[in-house]
Amino acid sequence: MLEWPFFEDRHREFAAFAREHLPEADGDLDERCRGLVHALASDGWLQHAVGEPLDVRTLCLARETLARHDGLADFAFAMQGLGSGPISLFGSEDQRARYLPAVRSGDKIAAFALSEPDAGSDVAAMTTRASGGRLTGTKTWISNGGIADFYTVFAREDAGISAFVVEASEVEIAERIDVIAPHPLARLVFDDTPAEPLGPPGAGMKIALSTLDVFRSTVGAAALGFARRALDEALGRVTARELFGAPMAELPLVQAKLAEMALGIDASALLVYRAAWTKDVAGGRVTREAAMAKLHATETAQRVVDDAVQLFGGLGVTVGSVVERLYREVRALRIYEGASEVQQLIIGRAALTAHRDDARSPA
Ligand SMILES: Cc1cc2nc3c(=O)[nH]c(=O)nc-3n(C[C@H](O)[C@H](O)[C@H](O)COP(=O)(O)OP(=O)(O)OC[C@H]3O[C@@H](n4cnc5c(N)ncnc54)[C@H](O)[C@@H]3O)c2cc1C
């Protein structure tokens, strides 16, 4: 893959570095997460997650490599990028100086707070209010909630939806949420909470969507990493396991499954790195390409992981096996940063717009 024209020598060098510097950390969930952030900082990964310009191909290579190794390491990397992304892209010089070096060095943990109990897919239904630099409302499903040092928060004010930075010391953690692939996640309550404006009033949707435009393809890259690990595990199993007196890998139906897995992975990689290359090289919005990358890679990874579980038989559903862990880890990717149905709508609308534009343009 690294020989594809999407990549430059610096990407090939980064991929080699990444394979040699896989982070490890121990402890309970929060300690592991903090430990992973520090390991990612001290090994130099985080300099690629933070700042301007963000190189989407490097972000994707990082997430693919980390997810293949450990989903929580990928999470820790991705959240430093997503949580600080609005500051990287729209922060004032002073905000960039106060937050970005600390996120890069792992001294500050970042979070991105957009979703609310009644405003997930329908972001415009947001009810958190901003007035006179203070926020009131509830955000939920916030990754890094409870361990973050600051939150980039979106709230409605007279000018429309605006973005803010809120220090963690001002935020009430109303609930920690347990999910099937554990990572820090919380519901946050703002009660006349002081907040610092980020970007112009009313620019919040543009800030959120521009940030997602960068990071959505990287969710596809993480899915790709999970799928590659599932295929690695499946190949190891089918070549070691004897079935009906011969290696399982010799059964035609097993080979057909492996073929579908490998094909899905390559197609996902092409879409992910096409979207990343387009953002890096052509610039501007890549909403359609990022939606295709996320939709295809996450849906495919779910199938590939499920196939790997099937090839492992009973061992595949044993708690603690790698494929069982992947089965839990891959699921949420089809829901967050825009559920698959939201990506389908984006792609469908883009196809209709292109069709209308073609019909209008002179032959
Ligand atoms: C593990 C995890 C981490 C998260 N981290 C963050 C975070 O850090 N920051 C943050 O702000 N949010 C975060 N989220 C929230 C996430 O973005 C929302 O869960 C997501 O946008 C879906 O919103 P919802 O859960 O309210 O589901 P709903 O909006 O209620 O949607 C339910 C389902 O409806 C379907 N659907 C949606 N739109 C359509 C449509 N137009 N037509 C047909 N069907 C549709 C989809 O299948 C969707 O899953 C996280 C979520 C999870 C699970």
Side-chain angles (χ1 to χ4, degrees):
M1 180 187 88
L2 289 167
E3 298 309 317
W4 288 352
F6 298 129
F7 299 108
E8 299 166 24
D9 281 345
R10 64 196 170 91
H11 299 112
R12 288 182 266 275
E13 280 157 25
F14 175 77
F17 153 88
R19 282 192 298 271
E20 295 298 313
H21 293 84
L22 293 170
E24 302 289 348
D26 295 324
D28 69 15
L29 181 64
D30 290 2
E31 274 171 47
R32 265 198 81 209
C33 234
R34 289 195 184 95
L36 285 166
V37 169
H38 284 123
L40 290 165
S42 59
D43 276 346
W45 291 78
L46 289 185
Q47 62 182 304
H48 301 289
V50 179
E52 246 257 285
L54 287 163
D55 186 80
V56 187
R57 286 165 293 175
T58 306
L59 287 173
C60 287
L61 286 170
R63 290 202 65 180
E64 181 186 335
T65 309
L66 290 169
R68 192 172 186 167
H69 163 63
D70 172 7
L72 199 63
D74 165 59
F75 167 82
F77 174 85
M79 285 315 303
Q80 288 298 85
L82 182 67
S84 65
I87 301 177
S88 291
L89 298 175
F90 293 93
S92 65
E93 225 165 275
D94 170 56
Q95 284 168 331
R96 293 163 57 81
R98 269 186 291 133
Y99 287 101
L100 299 186
V103 175
R104 212 176 278 128
S105 66
D107 292 327
K108 280 192 194 292
I109 292 184
F112 179 89
L114 179 66
S115 305
E116 299 183 0
D118 295 316
S121 305
D122 185 6
V123 180
M126 170 183 307
T127 57
T128 297
R129 285 289 309 173
S131 176
R134 295 187 164 266
L135 304 186
T136 301
T138 299
K139 295 285 174 185
T140 194
W141 310 115
I142 307 308
S143 296
N144 276 344
I147 67 164
D149 294 289
F150 70 93
Y151 297 83
T152 50
V153 185
F154 298 85
R156 187 176 293 287
E157 57 183 347
D158 292 342
I161 291 174
S162 302
F164 300 86
V165 187
V166 181
E167 286 294 318
S169 54
E170 307 285 354
V171 177
E172 181 195 338
I173 306 297
E175 179 194 9
R176 290 291 295 263
I177 305 169
D178 289 331
V179 282
I180 54 176
H183 69 255
L185 196 67
R187 179 163 59 87
L188 320 176
V189 170
F190 301 90
D191 182 10
D192 204 27
T193 302
E196 183 184 336
L198 168 59
M205 282 308 278
K206 179 180 169 199
I207 293 173
L209 294 178
S210 303
T211 305
L212 292 176
D213 223 43
V214 171
F215 285 94
R216 206 167 253 165
S217 313
T218 78
V219 180
L224 183 59
F226 289 138
R228 285 198 197 281
R229 180 64 180 270
L231 181 58
D232 295 342
E233 298 293 320
L235 288 168
R237 178 67 183 163
V238 300
T239 47
R241 169 80 164 161
E242 295 253 324
L243 211 57
F244 306 110
M248 204 176 157
E250 289 180 12
L251 294 169
L253 288 179
V254 168
Q255 290 179 9
K257 213 180 268 307
L258 295 173
E260 286 301 316
M261 294 162 87
L263 173 63
I265 287 173
D266 263 35
S268 296
L270 283 162
L271 283 168
V272 165
Y273 290 104
R274 189 269 296 249
W277 176 88
T278 307
K279 183 75 183 165
D280 290 340
V281 177
R285 295 292 290 272
V286 291
T287 311
R288 169 183 174 275
E289 289 80 1
M292 284 187 172
K294 182 184 186 270
L295 176 64
H296 191 275
T298 58
E299 294 288 331
T300 299
Q302 183 83 57
R303 277 198 304 279
V304 169
V305 169
D306 189 66
D307 284 344
V309 169
Q310 192 72 11
L311 289 169
F312 269 78
L315 281 182
V317 290
T318 310
V319 174
S321 72
V322 173
V323 291
E324 176 267 343
R325 171 172 61 76
L326 292 168
Y327 193 74
R328 289 182 290 103
E329 277 178 330
V330 76
R331 188 63 186 84
L333 278 61
R334 292 166 57 209
I335 297 172
Y336 63 61
E337 290 190 39
S340 292
E341 291 80 356
V342 172
Q343 310 307 329
Q344 285 176 317
L345 286 178
I346 293 171
I347 297 164
R349 283 178 189 148
L352 286 168
T353 304
H355 175 70
R356 276 188 216 111
D357 290 350
D358 280 353
R360 272 195 215 113
S361 66

